[in-house]
Amino acid sequence: MAALGTRLLKIKVGTTEHTAEVSRVQITSGAADSDFTSFADAASGGAREYALELTMRQDMANTSLWRYIWAQAGQSLAVKVAPYGNTAAATATEPFYTGNVTITEPDGVLIGGEANSSTSARMTVEVRWVFAAKPSEVVTGAF
């Protein structure tokens, strides 16, 4: 497998590709917060929580990624990440990662931001959407 570049990644939420709306896409892993730890969880190092972290532009259009926050918070949606940008087909050397996330509002900025004299700058929002389970690595099929 080749090392990941910084320009090729693609992301789909539901059935729509939203690559043009995001500047940061990360699947993260951390210790799960739980009031109960089973012996099985403890033996495997503890339960894990996986999340999709995004920085997206603020765009209130009905078809935008931001609109999911406003209109579908609390709902579960399928996501697919193609780190190599290969939308024709996943392969063993260029897999996709898929799963279901719960759409949540950000802790912090939802609308607005700082002024900028650039004509191409856009206001952004950062979100962290938790996966229902560890994302699956997919090595066949189209994006």
Side-chain angles (χ1 to χ4, degrees), residues 91-137:
T91 66
T93 57
E94 295 184 350
F96 300 155
Y97 295 87
T98 65
N100 291 313
V101 296
T102 300
I103 305 300
T104 56
E105 293 182 5
D107 289 332
V109 175
L110 179 59
I111 301 172
E114 295 183 20
N116 188 316
S117 61
S118 169
T119 58
S120 62
R122 298 292 178 260
M123 293 187 184
T124 61
V125 61
E126 296 183 0
V127 295
R128 182 177 186 275
W129 295 339
V130 176
F131 281 96
K134 182 177 181 176
S136 298
E137 184 177 70

Side-chain angles (χ1 to χ4, degrees), residues 37-46:
T37 301
S38 71
F39 286 103
D41 286 342
S44 67

Side-chain angles (χ1 to χ4, degrees), residues 10 41 57 121 135 140:
K10 306 275 187 205
D41 286 342
R57 68 179 178 214
T140 61

